Amino acid sequence: MPFGSLSVILFGGVLLRLLLIGYGEWQDKAFDLQYTDIDYSVFSDAAAHVYKGGSPYERETFRYTPLIAYLLVPNVFIHPCFGKLLFSLLDILHGFLLFKILELRGVSHAVGSICTAAWVFNPLPLVVSTRGNAESVLACMVVGTLYLILKKQNVLAALLFALAVHTKTYPIVYAPSIYLLMNEQYGLSYRTKAKTKLQYVLTLLWPSDISMVFAAIGAFVTIGLCFMFYIMYGQIFLDETYLYHITRKDIQHNFSIYFYPLRISEQLEPIFSSIIGLSAFLPQLGATLTFTYKYYRDLPFCWFIITLAFVTFNKVCTSQYFLWYLCLLPLILPSLKLSIKEASLMFVLWLAAQGVWFLPAYYYEYHHYDILGLVWTASLLFFWINIWCMWTFLRSYQHSPVLDENNQLGKQIVLWKWPVTKAD
């Protein structure tokens, strides 16, 4: 079996995650600095409340869907590491789904395996999942939805998409691109009769039967889950799961360029805080609508660039938010027209900008240096690096529609020169 084969990559990913989980258990017992994410303790405590017949919201700072607490109930009666193992296996499943999507789009086994390895051995998701953060749950839902759409299993795709939106609201930004693609895919005969650009756009916006079914299923499941949990837990479910995140104004230091203005606005009139919040929302909305209309035919890239813009302009931005777009990056790697020098420069600058931010943030938080302005300056630097990265992706990506003119799966443009190997 060749070293680069998919099975070896996935097995290596599982082994590495098991080792990190074991190491984390040792570090937690041996040192004051814990390896385990504080959120994992929140999840576990919430799961314990559920196991005893209580509410997960009895655990202070549990601001997630109750489904997360339900998933981790085995932490109580099997082993406290059950959730870490589950999140890590979902990480591996995510890698497998990435490979299957690339395979569907005609990417060779060798190139698909390399792109899968770029996720499986990426230090960020590897550490995040083994520390007990639940981001892998949502990443699997997002990539799984994309896979099911490409397989034209639209009912299952709608169910999974609804679960993703219920878990965290941000995947709703993918809905317009799904809508347009399904309108074009299943209403092609109407659009071929359009004589002008305006007629084409109007017919494209007119819902097809499939897009209406997808929307109906998605809305029914999302609203149904919300209603069920509202009946079970009351207003606190809505407050903690959704309203907290929608109205959240984080004035603590983070990567967002808005944290410092929001902090200052707290000392001024409330209207200033609202203006700042609107200034964050408008670029997100504009980028989502623009990129949706321009790239909806190529869903993997469309979702990636929308998410990158969404995170870049978000009012709150921490390291785990990077996973929202990094989980889609392997799908576009084969079609990036970048030299090794250009790709390396982008990667190094992106990492270096984070390092520049972490240095003053460390001295501000742990040594109480009065350098919050310097932290914000580093946030501005990171913001512009992300804007430059976004521009680089936009100019270097070679687009390939997921559907060809015959409404069949289109082949992805692959710019890598790599020998083809036999599949496992």
Side-chain angles (χ1 to χ4, degrees), residues 259-280:
F259 87 85
Y260 197 49
L262 283 171
R263 190 184 186 95
I264 295 174
S265 69
E266 288 291 306
Q267 305 167 9
L268 305 174
E269 294 294 327
I271 186 64
F272 290 106
S273 183
S274 300
I275 292 172
I276 293 169
L278 185 62
S279 69

Side-chain angles (χ1 to χ4, degrees), residues 19 275 305 347 349 360 365:
L19 290 173
I275 292 172
I305 202 69
F347 179 68
L349 286 176
E365 183 169 355

Side-chain angles (χ1 to χ4, degrees), residues 147-200:
Y147 174 73
L148 291 170
I149 290 174
L150 296 183
K151 292 285 287 184
K152 298 185 179 180
Q153 297 181 17
N154 297 312
V155 172
L156 290 176
L159 290 171
L160 194 56
F161 183 68
L163 278 175
V165 173
H166 168 77
T167 302
K168 277 193 179 177
T169 53
Y170 90 83
I172 196 68
V173 299
Y174 306 143
S177 59
I178 298 173
Y179 177 78
L180 292 183
L181 182 70
M182 288 186 171
N183 285 349
E184 186 170 82
Q185 179 181 355
Y186 297 99
L188 192 61
S189 59
Y190 296 102
R191 269 157 284 293
T192 54
K193 298 177 183 178
K195 296 180 180 179
T196 65
K197 183 71 172 178
L198 178 59
Q199 287 179 332
Y200 183 86

Side-chain angles (χ1 to χ4, degrees), residues 186-245:
Y186 297 99
L188 192 61
S189 59
Y190 296 102
R191 269 157 284 293
T192 54
K193 298 177 183 178
K195 296 180 180 179
T196 65
K197 183 71 172 178
L198 178 59
Q199 287 179 332
Y200 183 86
V201 171
L202 291 176
T203 54
L204 184 63
L205 293 175
W206 189 261
S208 66
D209 292 343
I210 297 299
S211 64
M212 286 193 292
V213 170
F214 189 98
I217 293 173
F220 178 79
V221 173
T222 304
I223 296 172
L225 284 171
C226 288
F227 182 74
M228 180 180 71
F229 288 134
Y230 179 79
I231 294 298
M232 293 174 65
Y233 302 117
Q235 183 63 33
I236 193 172
F237 157 69
L238 294 177
D239 291 340
E240 299 292 352
T241 306
Y242 298 116
L243 298 180
Y244 169 81
H245 298 284

Side-chain angles (χ1 to χ4, degrees), residues 70-82:
Y70 297 169
L71 283 175
L72 268 62
V73 166
N75 276 20
V76 181
F77 60 86
I78 294 180
H79 194 277
C81 282
F82 173 86

